[in-house]
Amino acid sequence: MKKYFVITIMLIFIIFPLSAQKTKDVLYLKNGSIIYGKLLEATDSLYKIRIYDGSIFIYPSHEVEKFVNEIPLYEGRKKCGLGFVVEAGVLAGAQSSDYKTPFSFNFLANITSNTRNIYGMGSGVEYLGQPFMPVFLEYKFLFSDRKTTPFIFFRGGKLFHLNGDAQNSDYINPQNSYKISYKGGGSFTIGTGISWVRDYNEIYLSFAYRNVHTSYSQNNYNNQPVTYKTSYNRLEIKLGLRF
């Protein structure tokens, strides 16, 4: 349990510096426009600035009212549209399994509706003694549209084994060698977390109950197939970034 507490504290210390507000270069134009970005060049005749998506704009000095360095105004969360998420974490918890803290890495494509409802589909890689690929659907609900807000989420899907059959070889008694066939099973997640909007991205830390099923089959000494099933009931701790 102490190890999982340390992991959580480390994730929180990563989150807070990332979510801290940073100043940006700002051009106030005489036509009322406000341009945030990184000032690349300023002369008596022009201003050159690079905005968040990498685009570079050049403005003649006579079009610029003033240049300052300040914290950008918060313009609210995304009301609708597509997004992309990458996340990583662990499935922590006491278990009789040999794999005490399986690792999980996921990516998701999602769509926002009315700011607070987010629907997504995801996949990735999870190592539960063997590598598995999860495929799942997600629904996330934000409790507010503020810059920092808690949320709840639900996921459901299935795991698919990636490596094919394994071979357990006995070189002294070859007749005792056998193949092991792994399979993934159902996966269900329900959890909560907290989300921060930073610039044009969203960072979140989540905690969830995760139920995962896997199995493997092999022939016993009588050459009869036997299937062994494993169920994971874990605390899932993840750090994510949404673009």
Side-chain angles (χ1 to χ4, degrees), residues 27 30 39-48 58-65 67:
L27 291 180
K30 293 181 179 179
L39 189 68
L40 303 178
E41 183 180 348
T43 68
D44 292 338
S45 60
L46 62 84
Y47 288 85
K48 182 186 290 186
I58 299 175
Y59 298 95
S61 296
H62 65 82
E63 295 182 2
V64 179
E65 180 178 336
F67 160 71

Side-chain angles (χ1 to χ4, degrees), residues 180-234:
I180 303 177
S181 178
Y182 293 92
K183 289 185 179 181
S187 174
F188 173 75
T189 308
I190 178 172
T192 186
I194 187 166
S195 164
W196 296 266
V197 172
R198 177 181 178 271
D199 295 338
Y200 303 95
N201 302 320
E202 174 190 351
I203 304 166
Y204 63 85
L205 178 65
S206 66
F207 301 87
Y209 165 72
R210 178 78 182 277
N211 178 257
V212 186
H213 300 273
T214 65
S215 64
Y216 67 92
S217 300
Q218 66 183 55
N219 289 348
N220 60 18
Y221 290 107
N222 295 320
N223 204 31
Q224 298 296 316
V226 180
T227 298
Y228 301 90
K229 296 182 179 181
T230 302
S231 294
Y232 293 84
N233 295 288
R234 296 296 180 100

Side-chain angles (χ1 to χ4, degrees), residues 32-80:
S33 300
I34 302 175
I35 312 299
Y36 293 98
K38 174 67 175 177
L39 189 68
L40 303 178
E41 183 180 348
T43 68
D44 292 338
S45 60
L46 62 84
Y47 288 85
K48 182 186 290 186
I49 190 169
R50 181 174 61 233
I51 64 173
Y52 72 96
D53 64 0
S55 300
I56 296 176
F57 293 93
I58 299 175
Y59 298 95
S61 296
H62 65 82
E63 295 182 2
V64 179
E65 180 178 336
K66 64 178 179 178
F67 160 71
V68 296
N69 186 269
E70 64 184 20
I71 296 174
L73 295 174
Y74 175 57
E75 299 179 352
R77 289 178 173 267
K78 181 185 294 187
K79 292 181 172 59
C80 60

Side-chain angles (χ1 to χ4, degrees), residues 12-147:
I12 292 174
F13 272 93
I14 292 171
I15 278 281
F16 275 103
L18 290 175
S19 61
Q21 291 183 318
K22 294 184 179 181
T23 60
K24 287 190 175 294
D25 296 331
V26 187
L27 291 180
Y28 285 83
L29 305 184
K30 293 181 179 179
N31 64 7
S33 300
I34 302 175
I35 312 299
Y36 293 98
K38 174 67 175 177
L39 189 68
L40 303 178
E41 183 180 348
T43 68
D44 292 338
S45 60
L46 62 84
Y47 288 85
K48 182 186 290 186
I49 190 169
R50 181 174 61 233
I51 64 173
Y52 72 96
D53 64 0
S55 300
I56 296 176
F57 293 93
I58 299 175
Y59 298 95
S61 296
H62 65 82
E63 295 182 2
V64 179
E65 180 178 336
K66 64 178 179 178
F67 160 71
V68 296
N69 186 269
E70 64 184 20
I71 296 174
L73 295 174
Y74 175 57
E75 299 179 352
R77 289 178 173 267
K78 181 185 294 187
K79 292 181 172 59
C80 60
L82 300 175
F84 182 77
V85 177
V86 292
E87 63 176 25
V90 296
L91 308 181
Q95 184 98 10
S96 58
S97 168
D98 294 334
Y99 316 115
K100 300 300 182 184
T101 312
F103 178 79
S104 174
F105 172 82
N106 298 132
F107 55 87
L108 299 89
N110 56 30
I111 184 168
T112 299
S113 174
N114 298 323
T115 305
R116 296 163 64 183
N117 297 284
I118 303 173
Y119 307 88
M121 171 178 282
S123 187
V125 176
E126 296 182 332
Y127 191 79
L128 306 171
Q130 291 286 322
F132 290 89
M133 179 183 73
V135 177
F136 57 87
L137 298 176
E138 178 190 75
Y139 170 68
K140 179 185 289 187
F141 176 76
L142 307 179
F143 283 97
S144 77
D145 57 3
R146 295 179 180 177
K147 193 168 188 178

